[in-house]
C-alpha cells in the first residue's frame, strides 16, 4: 500500500518568518505517527496568518497533492489575524460542525478558554480539512477527541482507507463498512 499523503499546515506569522521554531506542525506529525497504523507521509506547509495564503495552501494540498486529510494548526482564536477558520470555510464544499464542537468540548475539560477557539472542519473533494489549535498539548487533546471518526469520514468522501493503532485510537466504522 502506498503512503497516504496527509497535509500538515502551520499557520503562523512568526514561524513563517523564522522568528521562532514551528512546534505545531511537528506536534501534528507526532500525533499522527502515534495514532495511524496505515503508511502515510506528511506534506508540509508553513504559511503566515494571511487568508489568501492559507486558502492557496489548503487548495493545493487537497487538489494537487491529493491529501486525504489536511490538518492545520494555528490561527483559530479570536485575535484579528486569526483567519484560519474563514480560509477553511472558503475552500470547503461542506462543513462538518461536529468536529469543532467535539474538540472544544474536549478542550474545555483542560482549560476554560477553549470556548475562544473557533476551529472548524469540512470537506473539499476527497479531502477532510481539520483545524486544530496552535498549542502542541491542545493538538493532542483535539486529535484524540475526533480521530475515531476521521477514517470513516474519509471512507465516505471516497478517500483511501486509513487504519489506526487500536491500542491508541479505535476508529469507528459501522458493521460492513
Amino acid at each position: 500500500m502506498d503512503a497516504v499523503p496527509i497535509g500538515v499546515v502551520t499557520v503562523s506569522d512568526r514561524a513563517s518568518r523564522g522568528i521562532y521554531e514551528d512546534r505545531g506542525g511537528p506536534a501534528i506529525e507526532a500525533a499522527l505517527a502515534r495514532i495511524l497504523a496505515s503508511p502515510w507521509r506528511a506534506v508540509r506547509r508553513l504559511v503566515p496568518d494571511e487568508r489568501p495564503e492559507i486558502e492557496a495552501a489548503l487548495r493545493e494540498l487537497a487538489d494537487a497533492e491529493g491529501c486525504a486529510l489536511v490538518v492545520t494548526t494555528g490561527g483559530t482564536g479570536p485575535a484579528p489575524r486569526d483567519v484560519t477558520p474563514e480560509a477553511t470555510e472558503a475552500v470547503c464544499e461542506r462543513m462538518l460542525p461536529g468536529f469543532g464542537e467535539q474538540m472544544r468540548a474536549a478542550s474545555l475539560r483542560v482549560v476554560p478558554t477553549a470556548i475562544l477557539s473557533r476551529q472548524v472542519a469540512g470537506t473539499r473533494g476527497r479531502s477532510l480539512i481539520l483545524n486544530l489549535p496552535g498549542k502542541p498539548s491542545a493538538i493532542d487533546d483535539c486529535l484524540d477527541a475526533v480521530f475515531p471518526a476521521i477514517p470513516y469520514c474519509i471512507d465516505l468522501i471516497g478517500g483511501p482507507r486509513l487504519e489506526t493503532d487500536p491500542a491508541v485510537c479505535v476508529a469507528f466504522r459501522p458493521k460492513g463498512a
Side-chain angles (χ1 to χ4, degrees):
M1 173 186 210
D2 289 340
V4 174
I6 297 180
V8 177
V9 182
T10 299
V11 179
S12 169
D13 286 331
R14 291 176 290 173
S16 69
R17 289 193 307 253
I19 294 171
Y20 71 73
E21 180 183 359
D22 169 20
R23 292 189 355 230
I28 290 171
E29 291 180 40
L32 293 173
R34 177 176 54 84
I35 294 168
L36 286 172
S38 299
W40 66 280
R41 64 181 172 81
V43 184
R44 298 174 190 90
R45 297 292 182 270
L46 177 57
V47 297
D49 289 278
E50 295 290 344
R51 187 169 162 178
E53 292 188 48
I54 300 165
E55 289 178 20
L58 297 176
R59 280 192 202 96
E60 178 188 2
L61 290 166
D63 302 347
E65 296 287 348
C67 293
L69 176 63
V70 177
V71 186
T72 72
T73 177
T76 61
R81 293 201 46 82
D82 290 335
V83 295
T84 303
E86 288 79 9
T88 300
E89 290 172 357
V91 303
C92 284
E93 296 147 354
R94 289 186 163 173
M95 299 309 296
L96 300 169
F99 280 97
E101 293 163 4
Q102 180 64 16
M103 289 187 287
R104 279 184 289 281
S107 295
L108 273 169
R109 293 186 209 113
V110 180
V111 60
T113 54
I115 60 173
L116 302 176
S117 187
R118 302 180 312 115
Q119 66 257 35
V120 298
T123 61
R124 179 179 177 89
R126 294 181 177 183
S127 300
L128 171 63
I129 300 173
L130 178 69
N131 299 158
L132 298 176
K135 186 176 176 187
S137 62
I139 288 169
D140 279 340
D141 294 339
C142 289
L143 273 180
D144 289 346
V146 298
F147 216 92
I150 287 176
Y152 186 54
C153 178
I154 292 171
D155 292 349
L156 290 171
I157 61 175
R161 188 172 177 96
L162 287 178
E163 299 293 346
T164 59
D165 177 347
V168 177
C169 171
V170 177
F172 176 80
R173 285 186 170 99
K175 288 188 183 208

